[in-house]
Every structure is written in structure tokens, then in C-alpha cells.
Amino acid sequence: MINKRFILTVIGVLTISLGFSQANILNAKSPEEIGVKTDAQIALDNDKPLEYGYVDDRDILYSRMTWERVVLDERVNFPLYYPIDTNNIGKNRRSLFDVLISNVKSGKIENIYDDSYFNNKRTLKDIQAAMTMVDTTELGIEQINAGEALSAEYINRRDITAADIKEYRVKGMWYFDKRLGELKYRLLGIAPVAPDVNFIDSDTPDLVELFWVFFPDAREVLHQAKTFNNENSAIPLSFDHLLNSRRFNGYVYQEENVQGDRKISEYISDNALMQLLESDRVKDKIRNFEMDMWSY
């Protein structure tokens, strides 16, 4: 019985390796053949995101909505940030921001929103206005005042790129499933955060949420996009797997509460240490609910 389980495990690992590693890299006769899968490989992969199980509202004994900041300066969050320079790297590796914005532009992610409650939809034009600054230099203004046509060299254009993303904000719900008897987490939304493009080159620019994506709506494209696996580059992780398994570090900056889901910074201001401790208190409160369920 043990040998049978071992054999099945080995076969499963090999199948996953074939599905996720860079296809055909050892058999390619030219660089163009790298990453191109055969029809047999495509049929064998059946590579789709793992479907969520149905959760009946009556099975939710406890729930708490939280909002977290995922700061990209932390090493554990690097897979969400890099690569930021794609000129000298393969097409199969992109940062999370590049994956999101490219799929929004292509229409694969159809719905984007202006806040984490997903009430008001935004358009691609709205996003581009928040991500691009076009300014005219003083010489260009003098050229316009003189009645001349504005030269392109006097126009400054600044675009938000993957290198400018400072953090992500994620919204999710912790809930206790009484049928399974365990505390679980469901990620509901994610938003890239960058400095305000109009003040991006100032010393302390304000951070703004560029747009919110309803996470279940983007799971397919996030599963197809792979991120680097520090432990084994032959088996890269999909962004869908990385985020669903919470392989990142986040700080709670807001939770649902009677004060209109007020943020921690609204009642603890100008004290980063106390805000961090309050974030840990919120996490402990949620975890302790599950622990208290089994206390006698």
C-alpha cells in the first residue's frame, strides 16, 4: 500500500514538472522552439485553476473581512514585484502588475473597479489617465505663445510601470466553515498601488490605488501567468496559486467594523509601531476564534 502511494506521488510530481517547467528547452533546436509545447503536451496538461468549492451561507459560523497592505520591499513579496525590466528576459516571466495591466488592455480582465467594494466600474481610459502624465516644458510653452507648433522634444511623458508599484492591497474574508471545522481564507480583490503620477518625482508622493480587480474574475489569467520559484525554477508558481495559498506577507490596515469599516490609521495616527501592533491584534483575534472553538 505504501509503495503504491509512493509511486502515485512520484508520477504526480513528474506530471506537474512537465506541466510547469519551461517547455521544450532541452529539446529545442532553435531559440524559437523554446516554450512551444506539442499538441500532446497541451492535451496532457489540462492546466486550469483549482475550482473553489461551494460554501453555503448556513455553513459559515464566523466571518471577518480584512484589507491588507502587501509591501513589495519585503523579500518574501519579491515574486509579485519582479521582473521590472523585461527587455532581456523571456516572455514567460512578467511581474504581477504587467500581467494585470496587459490583460486589462487585451480585454481578458473585463471588469475593473475604483474601490474595494466593487460598486463603480472603471474603464481603460480612466486607468490610462491615472497612469500617464503629459507635461509641456517651459521652452514648449514659449513655443506655443509664439504661435509655433509644439515640438515633440518639449513634451515630457511619464508612465507608471512595474518598477513604480510600491505595494498591493488585498481584500479577503476569513471564515469558519462549521461543516469542515476549520478557519479558511478567500481572497476577493487586489489592487496595485503606486505614487500619484502627477507628483511621482517629488520626495514624498502620495500612494494611490490604480484600480481594483475582483480576484475570482481574474483567476484564469493569473493561473496562466507564472512567477519565479526560488526553491525550484523547474516548477514555477502561478500567481493564482501564490495568492490563494497566501505566500506573501501582508499588514492589516482595515477591517469591517461598526464605525463604517474605518482604517487603523484613522484611530491610530502618526505612530507606525502602534499601527503594526494593532494589525497583529486583528490577526490574533481572528486566529483565536478557531483556537477557542477547541478549548474545553
Side-chain angles (χ1 to χ4, degrees), residues 64-65 67 115-117 119 171 253-267:
R64 179 69 67 179
M65 197 78 69
W67 289 256
D115 61 19
S116 60
Y117 294 96
N119 292 324
K171 175 185 179 181
Y253 70 91
Q254 183 181 357
E255 67 167 330
E256 59 177 351
N257 48 52
V258 70
Q259 293 93 351
D261 299 347
R262 67 174 179 173
K263 299 179 180 179
I264 291 177
S265 60
E266 293 179 12
Y267 60 93

Side-chain angles (χ1 to χ4, degrees), residues 174-226:
W174 292 94
Y175 65 96
F176 188 87
D177 191 326
K178 66 180 182 181
R179 184 172 58 87
L180 298 177
E182 62 179 334
L183 185 70
K184 306 186 74 174
Y185 178 79
R186 180 69 60 85
L187 200 154
L188 298 175
I190 186 168
V193 178
D196 188 332
V197 69
N198 297 304
F199 307 99
I200 193 170
D201 296 320
S202 62
D203 294 334
T204 56
D206 294 330
L207 296 181
V208 296
E209 299 168 354
L210 299 179
F211 55 89
W212 277 89
V213 173
F214 186 59
F215 186 78
D217 187 37
R219 288 193 66 206
E220 186 68 38
V221 296
L222 292 178
H223 181 74
Q224 294 172 1
K226 310 301 180 183

Side-chain angles (χ1 to χ4, degrees), residues 123-135:
T123 64
L124 181 59
K125 185 177 181 181
D126 295 332
I127 293 178
Q128 291 174 335
M131 293 177 53
T132 303
M133 178 188 67
V134 180
D135 191 19

Side-chain angles (χ1 to χ4, degrees), residues 23-41:
N24 208 35
I25 189 170
L26 299 180
N27 301 314
K29 295 181 174 57
S30 67
E32 290 76 15
E33 295 181 5
I34 296 177
V36 179
K37 295 183 179 182
T38 64
D39 293 338
Q41 286 176 316

Side-chain angles (χ1 to χ4, degrees), residues 222-252:
L222 292 178
H223 181 74
Q224 294 172 1
K226 310 301 180 183
T227 184
F228 187 75
N229 184 351
N230 284 320
E231 302 299 329
N232 185 359
S233 59
I235 309 177
L237 300 171
S238 71
F239 283 111
D240 176 68
H241 181 192
L242 185 146
L243 292 168
N244 269 313
S245 59
R246 288 188 59 84
R247 299 180 67 159
F248 59 84
N249 184 47
Y251 303 96
V252 175

